[in-house]
Amino acid sequence: MKPGLVLLCGMLVVNVWLPAHAQSSAAKQIKGWQSQGAAAADPQQGKLLWFSKHGVRSCSSCHGASPLEAGQHAKTRKPIKPMALSKNPARFTSQRKTEKWFRRNCKWTWGRECTAQEKVDILSWLSSQ
Amino acid sequence: MKEANKMKIGAILLGCVLGLSLIGITRTVLASGWSGREMEQESYEQERNESERYEHERNEYRRQEAETRPMSAVQQAYVEECGSCHMAYPAGLLPPQSWDKIMKGLEDHFGENAELDDQTRAELSRYLQQASAPREGQYRRMIRNLDQQAPMRITELPYFRHKHREIPSRFIQGNDKVGSLSQCDSCHRGAQRGWFDEDSVVIPGVGRRDG
């Protein structure tokens, strides 16, 4: 009885709570950027941004063409877990981490920080995948 | 007559056994090491003197200790912040002046942006300074022949270059599973925990260091 209960709770956490938590966490961050002036989320625009290039660099240089698949760091070859929420429920659960990587990666990829609108669109696309 | 025959058979059998064991020993000797010719045996043997053996025992003790010791909060933060794109190199692999330079230039970190917020950067800088290559202990060799220079790459250290000078490039740069000497943990399986002993090296697609 007891191990079964623990297993059930574990499954609930992994299959229900974690994805829901990630969804709500992503939604909260999107709302945060919207309060800074961003408009409604446009996932299709987010997809376009994913592939949009500055020189030879785009998000997909390291994350791969599909956010459902694992990526690989262009230089160090270190594997990068999938960005899609459905494949990786741990994504976007920490706002600090999301902001850190947007700051670093937008600067590396496009040579500038991303706007609040761009973050809204990209995150909405990734969390809908 | 019969006794003499028995003696002959005995002698032949003994000869066979000795012959086979000689072949076996020769093969073992030839197969040991990873290819014999590339490695300069003499310098290798020089390092394998008494004090090195003693050192090895001490290292073994340290390794076991390192593997079981839980990481401190700041070490966990270091691995989290600096181990996403590459292995979180143990702080003892570089002298304090190198870490200082690296932590002041995270906006252009070997061509990548690795910015941290001010608080995290200060916290990790303090940790790296305190845990950097010391004059004594396991990592003291890393700063050999370095004086006050501040190399940005571990692979530029004289000691590092010395230790890796005999490895053919086809094992590293020409090896799809390794790619570069910066990927410590491709061959040094305990690298993340600060364990670099030669005996534990396994080169992917090549094999063990010591046969």
Side-chain angles (χ1 to χ4, degrees), chain A residues 2 25 52 62 76-77 89:
Chain A
K2 258 197 170 170
S25 181
S52 95
C62 294
T76 67
R77 306 185 187 189

Side-chain angles (χ1 to χ4, degrees), chain A residues 34-112:
Chain A
Q34 283 168 340
S35 74
Q36 292 168 23
D42 180 353
Q44 277 315 302
Q45 181 61 22
K47 186 179 179 181
L48 287 178
L49 290 170
W50 181 265
F51 292 104
S52 95
K53 280 189 176 170
H54 179 270
V56 290
R57 295 173 180 180
S58 69
C59 304
S60 59
S61 304
C62 294
H63 291 292
S66 166
L68 296 165
E69 311 278 335
Q72 194 183 40
H73 193 282
K75 196 154 131 195
T76 67
R77 306 185 187 189
K78 187 151 178 158
I80 305 170
K81 288 178 192 155
M83 293 306 294
L85 208 51
S86 60
K87 290 283 172 185
N88 186 0
R91 284 283 179 226
F92 320 125
T93 48
S94 156
Q95 184 176 358
R96 193 176 146 262
K97 209 167 161 179
T98 310
E99 289 289 7
K100 177 180 84 178
W101 284 108
F102 263 130
R103 190 170 63 240
R104 286 178 170 182
N105 291 353
C106 291
K107 282 188 179 179
W108 183 82
T109 316
W110 294 339
R112 61 168 175 81

Side-chain angles (χ1 to χ4, degrees), chain B residues 76-97:
Chain B
Q76 279 175 30
Y78 175 61
V79 172
E80 162 85 24
E81 296 297 342
C82 305
S84 301
C85 303
H86 55 68
M87 193 190 105
Y89 300 105
L93 296 180
L94 280 176
Q97 64 270 25

Side-chain angles (χ1 to χ4, degrees), chain B residues 50-111:
Chain B
E50 282 293 308
S51 70
E52 287 276 333
R53 264 205 294 279
Y54 172 62
E55 179 100 16
H56 173 71
E57 279 165 28
R58 275 195 306 169
N59 279 346
E60 184 62 21
Y61 169 75
R62 276 202 209 97
R63 181 180 68 85
Q64 284 169 8
E65 199 198 41
E67 277 176 1
T68 48
R69 195 191 309 132
M71 281 198 285
S72 68
V74 70
Q75 279 174 323
Q76 279 175 30
Y78 175 61
V79 172
E80 162 85 24
E81 296 297 342
C82 305
S84 301
C85 303
H86 55 68
M87 193 190 105
Y89 300 105
L93 296 180
L94 280 176
Q97 64 270 25
S98 293
W99 286 122
D100 188 49
K101 213 158 120 187
I102 288 169
M103 293 304 279
K104 282 180 178 156
L106 288 176
E107 292 74 18
D108 181 5
H109 184 65
F110 304 98

Side-chain angles (χ1 to χ4, degrees), chain B:
Chain B
M1 180 62 185
K2 280 198 169 164
E3 282 301 308
N5 267 344
K6 274 184 188 167
M7 288 281 281
K8 266 186 202 162
I9 290 166
I12 289 165
L13 279 175
L14 187 67
C16 286
V17 169
L18 285 176
L20 280 172
S21 55
L22 193 66
I23 292 169
I25 290 166
T26 317
R27 283 175 60 114
T28 314
V29 168
L30 286 178
S32 67
W34 48 35
S35 82
R37 257 170 299 152
E38 278 91 353
M39 312 312 303
E40 296 167 34
Q41 289 295 336
E42 50 169 324
S43 63
Y44 199 45
E45 277 159 17
Q46 259 172 12
E47 290 183 349
R48 296 248 152 189
N49 56 26
E50 282 293 308
S51 70
E52 287 276 333
R53 264 205 294 279
Y54 172 62
E55 179 100 16
H56 173 71
E57 279 165 28
R58 275 195 306 169
N59 279 346
E60 184 62 21
Y61 169 75
R62 276 202 209 97
R63 181 180 68 85
Q64 284 169 8
E65 199 198 41
E67 277 176 1
T68 48
R69 195 191 309 132
M71 281 198 285
S72 68
V74 70
Q75 279 174 323
Q76 279 175 30
Y78 175 61
V79 172
E80 162 85 24
E81 296 297 342
C82 305
S84 301
C85 303
H86 55 68
M87 193 190 105
Y89 300 105
L93 296 180
L94 280 176
Q97 64 270 25
S98 293
W99 286 122
D100 188 49
K101 213 158 120 187
I102 288 169
M103 293 304 279
K104 282 180 178 156
L106 288 176
E107 292 74 18
D108 181 5
H109 184 65
F110 304 98
E112 315 269 323
N113 185 302
E115 275 176 70
L116 289 169
D117 62 71
D118 289 344
Q119 193 199 329
T120 313
R121 197 181 69 163
E123 184 192 343
L124 295 184
S125 293
R126 254 199 317 278
Y127 162 70
L128 290 168
Q129 287 298 316
Q130 166 255 314
S132 57
R135 305 210 171 277
E136 298 296 324
Q138 186 188 1
Y139 291 116
R140 69 185 184 283
R141 296 201 197 93
M142 298 310 294
I143 49 176
R144 195 183 275 172
N145 301 327
L146 204 59
D147 300 322
Q148 279 309 300
Q149 291 172 70
M152 293 284 279
R153 295 169 187 273
I154 297 161
T155 51
E156 286 170 1
L157 296 177
Y159 180 70
F160 180 97
R161 293 165 66 125
H162 172 75
K163 290 304 276 186
H164 296 85
R165 72 193 184 285
E166 294 168 329
I167 304 169
S169 70
R170 68 192 153 90
F171 290 175
I172 311 290
Q173 290 84 359
N175 185 343
D176 271 353
K177 296 188 186 95
V178 183
S180 128
L181 279 171
S182 314
Q183 324 284 354
C184 310
D185 50 345
S186 297
C187 308
H188 295 274
R189 299 297 163 90
Q192 184 73 77
R193 304 293 274 169
W195 180 245
F196 293 94
D197 187 80
E198 225 161 63
D199 296 345
S200 62
V201 171
V202 182
I203 301 182
V206 179
R208 298 191 79 86
R209 175 74 164 87
D210 51 356

Side-chain angles (χ1 to χ4, degrees), chain A residues 4-21:
Chain A
L5 202 67
V6 171
L7 194 70
L8 189 70
C9 288
M11 280 168 66
L12 276 175
V13 165
V14 170
N15 294 319
V16 182
W17 183 80
L18 211 57
H21 175 62

